[in-house]
Amino acid sequence: MAYDKPIPSQGIHTQPFWAGTKEGKLMLPRCEDCNRVHWYPRLICPHCHSKNLEWIEGSGEGRIHTYAVQHLAFGPWQKETPYVTAYIDLNEGDRMLTVLKGVDPLKPEEIKIGAKVKVEFEEANEDTFIPFWRVIEE
Amino acid sequence: MPGKLFKSAAIVGAAEADEIGFLKQPKTSLQLHIEAISNVCEQTGIPISAIEGVFSTGWSSEICEHLDLKPKYIDTTAVGGCSFEMHVHHAMAAIHSGIIDIALVTHGENGFSANKIGGRGAGNYSTGGPSSPSLEMTKAYGLGGAPSNYAHAMVRHMHRYGTTREDYAHIAKVTRDWATLNPRAAMYSKEKHPFGGPITVEQVEDSRLIAWPLTILHCCMVADHGGAVIVASPKVAARLKTKPVWIAGAGESMGHSNMLEMDDFTATSAARSAEAAYTMAGMGPADMEMALLYDSFTITAAITAEMLGLAPKGEGHMLWKDGRAAPGGSFPINTNGGGLSFNHSGMYGMPLLIEAYRQLSGTAEDGINGDKGKQTSAKTCIVNGTGGTLSTTGTLVLVADD
Ligand SMILES: [Zn+2]
């Protein structure tokens, strides 16, 4: 079935990220001066304000920072309720938002903050592969 | 004779984006902002991190977030092309009053490039993509209304401090108790609204799930509201027939614009905005006799109480649970019935101000229907508004006239 949920419109300086997703890579922006990874991608390092930024291939692994179960949603997400949204602490540092796979939305107490997750990519259209995260181990 | 603000501030640097004109490679408004900011900071030798106030048309919070700034003064006056002259005026006032020393006035508008990539204007971040990398990286994930975001903070607070949803349910119950003393409150009584009148903790727990763990009674309503207040000089105040309520302290700050950038899901910038307000007032949490806290959700009120120093971290909910915040309690909170049970139209900052004025001017007794009313004996009140997704905060310390 065709992907029918909201698809992000892509930016200019974020192109290396979207290119990576097509190859199953999680590309992350890193500052060449302070060596810290940040997310979302900036035009300037939010930590030291250097403009020397590079892209690195991330491990695609992280842990759940916090989560919630959406019972009320809008648009195409309505038919998916209930589903679990989560913020993921990346192994490389900083955080991503996701809809979490591999969990039971009706048993929210069983989802563990700190659980290991791995990224996977879903094809939304030929230009857009959206990263989602799946629990791989508690 | 010169006015009070004469030479009280100066423009100390001015720069443009790297490229201006009809750009061959289109750029976003945000890019033009960041280039200009970077250039003026290089010119003056003032590091970006030293900027204390940000003035721009529209989304100053997104610019601050992009730069990871935690400003003390945020201005988004957007009244057309003359806005930037006004920003200088506002910055001068902020500097004169001692709130900040370094203000950034910034502009970025891709009037030409927008023909190719969209996103014209400094505040048009709603489309995501080129104009807003934070939205670009979050819009795929099914978050909609405020509850869908705030629920994540409650879960993290429970994880960190061992609090339970039932702890927060007491906030909804006690706030409803206040509403039953306020005939203006939407949830005043069963007669006024089918779901109005007193509620129990069990009812809060058992109500419909919106975004687990938030049930609907943990969430504020969305109703209609209009309000206004007048701020005047002491000279004017002295000749009015109404009682003044004095602004002893004021402060503001922000943590993030998009919840993705919330460093600590159990804390807000109210810690900083309150510190500024307390310092200005020469007072502290122990001097406060009541509080009006933005309660978009029960968790918002609990975290805010902790940030303002009214309760230890992780114990904000205890103010309600042990009855201190309740009618007749030693530390009344949200005496109008709050956004949870009085009224919340989308932005609840104005009702906070109105109730604070009424309480401290002795006019909070609604006195209709023969109710005993909600007037307290408090002479000091801390007011805290929270905006966005636990993003931005403004704090006031108000005191009654002696
Ligand atoms: Zn850096």
Side-chain angles (χ1 to χ4, degrees):
Chain A
M1 201 182 85
Y3 193 85
D4 64 350
K5 291 183 282 296
I7 297 172
S9 42
Q10 299 182 13
I12 299 169
H13 72 285
T14 54
Q15 279 310 308
F17 169 75
W18 293 111
T21 61
K22 287 191 199 177
E23 298 167 24
K25 294 177 182 171
L26 188 75
M27 301 302 290
L28 301 170
R30 184 171 69 182
C31 173
E32 291 179 44
D33 285 317
C34 73
N35 288 322
R36 292 179 68 179
V37 164
H38 65 265
W39 190 256
Y40 58 92
R42 303 297 215 276
L43 298 158
I44 189 167
C45 172
H47 305 297
C48 76
H49 297 130
S50 162
K51 283 179 159 177
N52 300 320
L53 303 174
E54 62 177 352
W55 289 87
I56 60 159
E57 185 181 342
S59 63
E61 290 178 8
R63 290 177 184 275
I64 298 173
H65 183 80
T66 187
Y67 64 97
V69 187
Q70 308 300 334
H71 289 261
L72 177 72
F74 301 94
W77 278 104
Q78 269 176 306
K79 63 182 189 317
E80 307 280 334
T81 59
Y83 55 92
V84 179
T85 48
Y87 287 91
I88 304 303
D89 285 329
L90 306 175
N91 281 3
E92 291 78 10
D94 220 329
R95 204 173 285 155
M96 278 187 182
L97 175 64
T98 194
V99 172
L100 201 58
K101 312 263 184 183
V103 288
D104 184 351
L106 296 176
K107 294 177 180 165
E109 295 87 354
E110 292 182 5
I111 302 170
K112 295 277 181 291
I113 284 178
K116 273 191 185 173
V117 291
K118 196 163 176 43
V119 77
E120 57 190 42
F121 299 91
E122 186 170 343
E123 183 175 0
N125 61 35
E126 62 175 330
D127 290 323
T128 315
F129 288 67
I130 299 175
F132 289 93
W133 295 76
R134 180 179 294 277
V135 174
I136 52 172
E137 179 193 306
E138 288 190 353
Chain B
M1 213 175 94
K4 219 164 93 182
L5 268 67
F6 178 70
K7 289 189 179 173
S8 62
I11 297 174
V12 298
E16 282 160 340
D18 298 349
E19 296 177 275
I20 54 172
F22 298 98
L23 302 190
K24 289 203 176 63
Q25 281 295 322
K27 284 189 174 172
T28 65
S29 296
L30 185 61
Q31 274 176 295
L32 298 167
H33 268 289
I34 299 299
E35 288 177 7
I37 293 165
S38 173
N39 290 340
V40 77
C41 285
E42 199 178 311
Q43 180 198 29
T44 55
I46 296 171
I48 290 173
S49 55
I51 293 167
E52 297 175 303
V54 174
F55 300 71
S56 188
T57 49
W59 296 102
S60 291
S61 65
E62 179 130 359
I63 290 162
C64 290
E65 181 185 273
H66 204 93
L67 299 167
D68 197 31
L69 292 176
K70 313 291 184 203
K72 297 177 195 167
Y73 203 104
I74 305 160
D75 185 305
T76 62
T77 301
V79 292
C82 63
S83 300
F84 307 93
E85 285 68 37
M86 296 181 181
H87 293 153
V88 171
H89 181 204
H90 301 171
M92 184 189 204
I95 290 167
H96 174 78
S97 60
I99 296 167
I100 56 172
D101 290 304
I102 299 175
L104 166 74
V105 180
T106 178
H107 171 60
E109 187 174 23
N110 62 347
F112 177 69
S113 291
N115 297 326
K116 297 171 191 160
I117 58 170
R120 181 172 176 184
N124 184 15
Y125 292 106
S126 57
T127 53
S131 305
S132 173
S134 64
L135 198 53
E136 176 183 350
M137 297 307 173
T138 51
K139 76 179 287 186
Y141 302 117
L143 292 185
S148 68
N149 284 292
Y150 277 72
H152 296 88
M154 191 188 265
V155 172
R156 187 71 195 180
H157 196 278
M158 297 192 311
H159 170 77
R160 175 152 176 195
Y161 294 112
T163 46
T164 66
R165 185 173 65 183
E166 191 246 311
D167 287 334
Y168 309 109
H170 287 272
I171 298 174
K173 188 256 176 210
V174 165
T175 307
R176 179 62 63 90
D177 288 345
W178 279 111
T180 65
L181 302 177
N182 181 6
R184 288 185 178 85
M187 295 299 171
Y188 170 61
S189 66
K190 275 247 176 310
E191 291 69 40
K192 184 153 186 184
H193 189 286
F195 300 119
I199 51 173
T200 64
V201 167
E202 291 68 35
Q203 281 175 301
V204 177
E205 281 292 87
D206 295 341
S207 62
R208 183 161 67 96
L209 262 178
I210 301 295
W212 183 91
L214 294 171
T215 63
I216 197 164
L217 288 175
H218 284 271
C219 308
C220 64
M221 69 185 80
V222 181
D224 301 315
H225 187 270
V229 298
I230 290 175
V231 179
S233 66
K235 214 169 88 182
V236 170
R239 60 178 161 80
L240 297 177
K241 61 180 179 180
T242 49
K243 263 195 199 171
V245 165
W246 299 102
I247 305 162
E252 66 190 59
S253 193
M254 59 170 275
H256 55 274
S257 177
N258 187 315
M259 203 172 209
L260 175 64
E261 296 303 293
M262 189 167 185
D263 289 338
D264 179 351
F265 277 79
T266 67
T268 70
S269 61
R272 286 190 296 277
S273 54
E275 192 190 350
Y278 284 137
T279 302
M280 189 184 286
M283 300 169 102
D287 300 310
M288 299 299 104
E289 295 176 7
M290 67 169 289
L292 284 160
L293 312 179
Y294 200 122
D295 56 344
S296 45
F297 303 92
T298 53
I299 182 67
T300 317
I303 289 180
T304 302
E306 295 169 21
M307 294 299 106
L308 302 183
L310 303 173
K313 297 255 174 79
E315 294 176 29
H317 63 279
M318 289 304 297
L319 288 165
W320 289 266
K321 197 172 178 177
D322 69 14
R324 276 173 287 167
S330 60
F331 191 78
I333 301 179
N334 293 348
T335 48
N336 56 356
L340 292 169
S341 288
F342 163 64
N343 194 305
H344 168 282
S345 59
M347 294 186 288
Y348 178 67
M350 180 54 71
L352 292 172
L353 294 179
I354 293 171
E355 179 64 8
Y357 176 81
R358 287 182 177 154
Q359 284 290 342
L360 296 183
S361 62
T363 57
E365 170 66 78
D366 284 282
I368 57 176
N369 301 344
D371 278 300
K372 61 183 174 162
K374 61 187 167 62
Q375 180 68 53
T376 71
S377 59
K379 298 292 178 207
T380 59
C381 177
I382 187 158
V383 180
N384 189 86
T386 306
T389 47
L390 295 167
S391 307
T392 48
T393 54
T395 312
L396 298 172
V397 172
L398 302 178
V399 297
D401 198 34
D402 325 298

